Amino acid sequence: MKISYNWLRQFIHTDNTPQELSLILTNIGLEVESLEKVQPVVGGLEGLVIGKVLTCVQHPNADRLRVTTVDVGGPEILQIVCGAPNVAEGQKVVVATVGTTVFPNEGEPFKINKSKIRGEVSEGMICAEDEIGLGASHAGIMVLAPDTQIGIAAKAHFKMEDDFVFEIGLTPNRADAASHLGVARDLAAFLQTELQRPDLSAFKVENESLTIAVAVEDELACPRYSSVTITGVTVKRSPEWLQDKLKVIGIRPINNIVDITNYVLHDLGQPLHAFDADQIKGAQVIVKKCAEGTPFVTLDGVERKLSADDLMICNAEEPMTIAGVYGGKNSGVSEQTTNIFLESAYFNAVSIRKTAKRFGLKTDASFRYERGTDPEITVYALKRAALLIQELAGGQIASAISDLYPTPVKPFQVEVSYKNIQNLIGADIPTNTIKDIITSLAIEVVAETEGGLSLEVPSYRVDVTRECDITEEVLRIYGYNNIEIPMKVNASLSYGERPNREQTQHVIADMLTANGYLEIWCNSLTKASYSKNEGEAVKILNPLSSDLNVMRQSLLMPALESVAYNANRRNSDLKLYEFGKTYHLIQDKYVERPRLLLVMSGNVEVEQWNQKPQAISFYNLKAAVDAVISRLGIGNYQVDEVSDGDFAYGLKYYRGEKAIVTFGAVTAADKKIADIDKEVFYADFDWALLLDMVRKNKIINKEVPKYPVVRRDLSLLVDRSVTFEMLKTIAFKTEKKLIKNIQVFDVYLGNNLPEGKKSYALNFSLQDESQTLTDKQIDSVMQKIIYNLAQTAKAEIR
């Protein structure tokens, strides 16, 4: 949200610089994200001066040029060559002197240099309005009034005042600060100065020649509706001061009527809408909801189908605007408008938010209505706008103010204790200081006791309803920086459950990072199309957008978005990991599941002069998975191939019916959704199960064995359906004590083998921790292994 420094000073008198106010605003909870110096026109007319043309003669070498002498109030008279047809002796003009940079409406800025034009010296430029951003005409130079003072800066003559704009990161709860009045109100409380409001005493009803009947059918969606009519207005371009005010905060001027409604919106925080009163059919305005599917063409020319829940501003025959959100195509004012119906309403925030989300419309009005506007300011804003319209567009106020407010919104009643406020803040703030801060924020003290206050909080402070909210208000105005940090810190020892979840996560994160993995954090909100189990989808009731309308069921798809994002920026060699949660709706209960995801794509190593790039394979991922499992000290698990639709191919480590981790290649369908054309591998760990398994681990200290390890190799011919894991399991069942490790060091599928067969080369590590193994013992064990492999897996020794 943009706030103008000069505009703020209309509400409060302060000598604080913009930089000082920036710090103050941030300290009182209105964080200033940026502070920018702005000027009403580009360049701010810097270097331009007012001059007088003393002489003007024909250029000796050019028919369309004139040689002039110009007095700019300096010690020397300037000779300037000018091509404008209207330049003449005695004129007061705007002059760009040598060294000035000129910023035209079109084209690039250029610097004025002393030069020769067709043989004649030129020491500046006499400016047209489009050459300095003051208009669109290039018919000739700007000619000023005869009594204009020469020698003064053009910036001073045109009353161009530099401004500063605060970009405030407004939090959703601070709807009361969504205007210059709201920001000034907080500053006035902090600076202990008086808040200056516009004087509206000049407002008066001049006649009642144009009365529009107003009816509100849905008082819940529209608790208050105020309006007035103005006749005899002239729709035209706004004066420069109003255009400049709007331009500074990024609003494009349109015409005087629309600009006034925008001005009041950003001035007071109250949205307004001006209707062409002559276009209101039946001279009636009805606030109601229309039938489901009613077609309505909005201001942007798009036909939209209304919901039965959308609040509409209608005339006697048809809807005119979407209440609080967007105008209709024929609802606004035009150059032919002479009579105006001016609306100032208080709408239900939930109703406006749902409608704005439904149509995907974000306007300045809906931004404020969604968060909650001030129900007590509608008439005040109406009078403010009506007086400005009379000033800038003429006309007469042609009706009494219609104010439909059947059930006034009551202030929030809050009881506070001085002691509770002091304890929660952690400082012994004097009670009179607490009271002064509270009253400076327009919170009324209804009753006071020795120990506390009974308060009425204004209805525009929708976020202040409890004692802790009042405490926060006191703290932010008192100043967070004024709370001393205690010199003594009290602490107590506590027993934590084993394993420490954070510490265990950090151990694995450190290991992965040390091995070249990068941690990613993806949004838990994602697209509904990513949900593979629609029945378990946790849907967002009020989504920010259609791309963020469900909680993720898997960490994979958001991670694939990260892979695609990096790959599109020529960073395709990726090893990523994420600790996160997935969200499920199971039997009407919401379930969160902690997960760990590994993702790999691209090459194993960056290409070097001495080695060729090697693409990441399934076995690189398997090595990473095994490293995680091993680092956590987990063993005694089964292995099986993955047979679901989440992987193109892969493996699963499991105990009983619980999968510890599944890993493999991303399916072609998922890669297509993420727009990835390279191979991607991923592993999905059940982190909660892993932590539970770690908790049951027992740490045993053992001496390093004194006796040697013996290795024996076997070359086996087996069916292609037989896996290494099956052979490993058979071997360990045969001899649990002596076999310490089994590895596969060669796999062959190819020529010279019977059909449907493959060759495995295995090595067995055997060790007896109490004695040296003899050849007889070793041979006996190996013969048993060979026999069992042949019987169980139909393995043949090669």
Side-chain angles (χ1 to χ4, degrees):
M1 182 185 71
K2 296 182 183 296
I3 294 293
S4 159
Y5 173 71
N6 291 339
W7 199 333
L8 274 180
R9 294 176 70 187
Q10 295 177 191
F11 289 101
I12 55 172
H13 296 299
T14 177
D15 294 326
N16 294 90
T17 65
Q19 291 75 18
E20 290 169 342
L21 285 187
S22 179
L23 292 175
I24 291 171
L25 287 170
T26 298
N27 288 336
I28 62 176
L30 300 175
E31 183 181 0
V32 176
E33 297 176 341
S34 67
L35 176 63
E36 181 185 1
K37 182 179 179 180
V38 295
Q39 298 168 316
V41 297
V42 180
L45 305 185
E46 298 289 349
L48 302 180
V49 296
I50 305 302
K52 179 180 180 180
V53 180
L54 301 179
T55 64
C56 178
V57 298
Q58 180 69 42
H59 193 293
N61 303 316
D63 294 339
R64 296 185 179 182
L65 298 179
R66 305 287 188 276
V67 179
T68 68
T69 56
V70 183
D71 181 6
V72 294
E76 298 180 359
I77 302 300
L78 304 180
Q79 177 173 299
I80 300 175
V81 176
C82 180
N86 64 329
V87 63
E89 182 179 321
Q91 292 174 335
K92 300 291 180 68
V93 293
V94 179
V95 179
T97 56
V98 173
T100 298
T101 299
V102 176
F103 295 84
N105 289 345
E106 297 181 1
E108 296 297 320
F110 58 92
K111 188 176 181 180
I112 301 298
N113 298 309
K114 184 176 180 179
S115 60
K116 280 191 175 183
I117 302 177
R118 294 290 184 93
E120 295 293 325
V121 173
S122 184
E123 300 173 297
M125 182 176 80
I126 302 175
C127 302
E129 63 179 36
D130 70 322
E131 292 171 329
I132 54 177
L134 291 181
S137 173
H138 194 69
I141 59 171
M142 288 186 71
V143 179
L144 307 178
D147 60 349
T148 303
Q149 181 183 349
I150 67 172
I152 65 170
K155 184 174 185 178
H157 171 73
F158 291 105
K159 298 179 181 179
M160 290 286 180
E161 187 177 11
D162 290 344
D163 200 353
F164 290 83
V165 171
F166 305 97
E167 183 73 46
I168 295 178
L170 194 67
T171 52
N173 64 309
R174 291 303 310 276
D176 64 293
S179 66
H180 287 80
L181 171 63
V183 174
R185 190 162 42 209
D186 273 11
L187 283 173
F190 181 85
L191 298 172
Q192 298 181 355
T193 187
E194 187 178 353
L195 186 67
Q196 306 290 328
R197 289 174 175 264
D199 180 15
L200 305 182
S201 59
F203 179 87
K204 66 176 182 179
V205 178
E206 293 164 295
N207 60 68
E208 296 192 15
S209 60
L210 180 59
T211 301
I212 304 291
V214 179
V216 177
E217 294 186 2
D218 193 329
E219 295 177 358
L220 181 62
C222 180
R224 188 173 191 179
Y225 193 90
S226 308
S227 61
V228 72
T229 59
I230 306 170
T231 59
V233 301
T234 302
V235 179
K236 58 185 178 181
R237 183 183 178 193
S238 296
E240 294 298 329
W241 71 263
L242 180 53
Q243 292 193 51
D244 292 343
K245 288 283 187 188
L246 297 177
K247 287 177 183 177
V248 160
I249 59 171
I251 305 297
R252 181 176 63 87
I254 298 174
N255 59 52
N256 52 356
I257 305 298
V258 175
D259 292 349
I260 287 169
T261 61
N262 284 331
Y263 176 80
V264 173
L265 167 67
H266 291 277
D267 190 52
L268 304 178
Q270 173 61 34
L272 304 173
H273 189 80
F275 295 82
D276 187 330
D278 297 329
Q279 299 298 319
I280 299 176
K281 297 178 180 178
Q284 272 187 300
V285 169
I286 306 168
V287 184
K288 64 179 183 178
K289 294 176 179 177
C290 297
E292 183 76 30
T294 300
F296 179 69
V297 181
T298 47
L299 194 60
D300 55 2
V302 176
E303 181 176 290
R304 306 175 192 272
K305 300 294 183 181
L306 300 178
S307 163
D309 294 326
D310 295 328
L311 187 68
M312 304 296 294
I313 310 299
C314 307
N315 56 37
E317 300 179 11
E318 60 191 2
M320 297 186 293
T321 67
I322 303 174
V325 179
Y326 211 44
K329 186 175 182 180
N330 301 314
S331 70
V333 298
S334 65
E335 292 182 358
Q336 290 74 41
T337 299
T338 57
N339 301 319
I340 289 173
F341 174 81
L342 193 60
E343 165 197 281
S344 178
Y346 171 66
F347 297 118
N348 180 277
V350 175
S351 173
I352 299 301
R353 187 182 306 120
K354 287 182 177 180
T355 296
K357 296 289 185 186
R358 186 178 299 114
F359 292 119
L361 295 171
K362 283 291 183 183
T363 61
D364 285 336
S366 69
F367 175 84
R368 286 156 179 82
Y369 279 129
E370 286 177 24
R371 288 156 175 79
T373 55
D374 182 3
E376 305 303 325
I377 205 173
T378 59
V379 172
Y380 183 86
L382 204 61
K383 291 180 177 180
R384 173 80 164 132
L387 288 173
L388 285 170
I389 288 172
Q390 282 190 297
E391 178 186 343
L392 304 182
Q396 295 182 327
I397 296 173
S399 73
I401 289 179
S402 170
D403 185 24
L404 303 183
Y405 196 17
T407 309
V409 178
K410 296 180 179 180
F412 302 108
Q413 307 290 329
V414 183
E415 300 286 332
V416 297
S417 160
Y418 289 130
K419 184 177 181 180
N420 288 347
I421 291 175
Q422 292 166 343
N423 289 342
L424 191 56
I425 291 176
D428 189 17
I429 302 174
T431 56
N432 62 325
T433 302
I434 293 174
K435 182 180 176 182
D436 289 344
I437 291 174
I438 289 173
T439 55
S440 70
L441 291 167
I443 299 173
E444 184 180 351
V445 177
V446 178
E448 181 178 6
T449 64
E450 186 178 346
L453 302 169
S454 296
L455 305 173
E456 280 192 353
V457 181
S459 51
Y460 61 78
R461 287 309 307 270
V462 294
D463 62 322
V464 181
T465 59
R466 303 166 297 170
E467 184 180 44
C468 58
D469 299 326
I470 296 291
T471 303
E472 183 183 3
E473 293 299 292
V474 171
L475 176 56
R476 69 185 184 85
I477 300 301
Y478 181 76
Y480 293 96
N481 295 333
N482 293 327
I483 306 300
E484 295 183 2
I485 299 175
M487 300 302 294
K488 181 178 70 172
V489 177
N490 297 323
S492 59
L493 296 176
S494 61
Y495 172 77
E497 291 185 3
R498 181 182 176 275
N500 183 299
R501 292 176 177 270
E502 287 74 21
Q503 184 178 354
T504 305
Q505 180 172 318
H506 291 160
V507 166
I508 298 302
D510 289 345
M511 183 193 76
L512 291 170
T513 301
N515 281 275
Y517 285 78
L518 299 175
E519 185 173 9
I520 58 173
W521 288 352
C522 296
N523 199 339
S524 296
L525 299 175
T526 187
K527 301 178 183 178
S529 58
Y530 288 168
S531 300
K532 295 187 177 181
N533 188 338
E534 182 68 23
E536 291 187 6
V538 178
K539 299 178 181 178
I540 306 301
L541 296 178
N542 187 25
L544 296 173
S545 72
S546 58
D547 288 341
L548 300 171
N549 56 359
V550 298
M551 304 293 283
R552 62 185 177 187
Q553 290 184 351
S554 166
L555 302 188
L556 176 63
M557 293 310 299
L560 289 182
E561 289 181 354
S562 297
V563 172
Y565 182 88
N566 281 273
N568 291 338
R569 287 155 182 79
R570 303 183 67 82
N571 182 27
S572 56
D573 299 335
L574 298 169
K575 294 196 293 184
L576 310 174
Y577 72 93
E578 179 183 9
F579 289 95
K581 291 182 179 179
T582 59
Y583 304 86
H584 311 266
L585 180 61
I586 300 175
Q587 296 180 352
D588 296 328
K589 291 184 178 180
Y590 293 105
V591 178
E592 296 182 8
R593 293 174 177 167
R595 315 294 292 185
L596 166 61
L597 182 80
L598 305 185
V599 177
M600 305 179 76
S601 182
N603 295 324
V604 177
E605 299 288 347
V606 178
E607 185 176 356
Q608 301 287 343
W609 65 273
N610 59 348
Q611 64 181 19
K612 294 181 179 180
Q614 180 183 352
I616 285 174
S617 70
F618 169 81
Y619 296 100
N620 296 114
L621 177 65
K622 183 177 184 298
V625 170
D626 291 343
V628 172
I629 297 293
S630 175
R631 184 65 184 85
L632 294 173
I634 294 172
N636 299 324
Y637 53 82
Q638 291 77 47
V639 181
D640 197 2
E641 292 187 15
V642 175
S643 57
D644 58 37
D646 293 333
F647 294 87
Y649 57 88
L651 293 178
K652 174 176 70 173
Y653 293 174
Y654 64 98
R655 275 188 189 176
E657 295 182 355
K658 295 182 178 180
I660 301 170
V661 57
T662 50
F663 58 97
V666 176
T667 63
D670 286 341
K671 288 192 294 183
K672 183 178 180 180
I673 292 173
D675 195 22
I676 299 172
D677 55 6
K678 293 186 177 181
E679 193 81 281
V680 182
F681 301 92
Y682 79 102
D684 183 16
F685 292 84
D686 186 335
W687 187 246
L689 178 59
L690 285 172
L691 290 175
D692 186 58
M693 298 170 90
V694 171
R695 181 176 59 83
K696 297 175 183 178
N697 282 351
K698 292 183 179 180
I699 299 174
I700 301 174
N701 295 318
K702 298 173 66 175
E703 292 184 3
V704 176
K706 294 185 293 184
Y707 302 100
V709 176
V710 178
R711 169 172 166 162
R712 289 289 186 270
D713 296 342
L714 285 180
S715 180
L716 305 173
L717 189 66
V718 296
D719 291 339
R720 290 199 176 189
S721 60
V722 175
T723 64
F724 165 66
E725 193 63 29
M726 294 170 59
L727 301 176
K728 185 177 177 181
T729 301
I730 294 169
F732 273 118
K733 284 184 178 180
T734 302
E735 178 55 63
K736 296 180 180 179
K737 180 181 177 182
L738 298 182
I739 297 178
K740 301 300 180 183
N741 191 26
I742 304 173
Q743 295 289 339
V744 57
F745 64 89
D746 187 47
V747 179
Y748 178 71
L749 296 90
N751 298 328
N752 303 322
L753 290 180
E755 186 176 350
K757 297 289 184 177
K758 63 181 175 182
S759 174
Y760 271 135
L762 310 180
N763 70 65
F764 297 80
S765 299
L766 299 91
Q767 184 183 43
D768 191 331
E769 296 179 3
S770 61
Q771 62 179 353
T772 301
L773 289 172
T774 64
D775 288 342
K776 185 176 180 180
Q777 289 174 302
I778 296 169
D779 291 342
S780 175
V781 170
M782 295 306 297
Q783 288 302 317
K784 290 179 182 178
I785 293 172
I786 292 170
Y787 177 79
N788 287 337
L789 290 175
Q791 292 296 315
T792 307
K794 308 299 182 184
E796 301 175 25
I797 302 300
R798 297 187 69 192

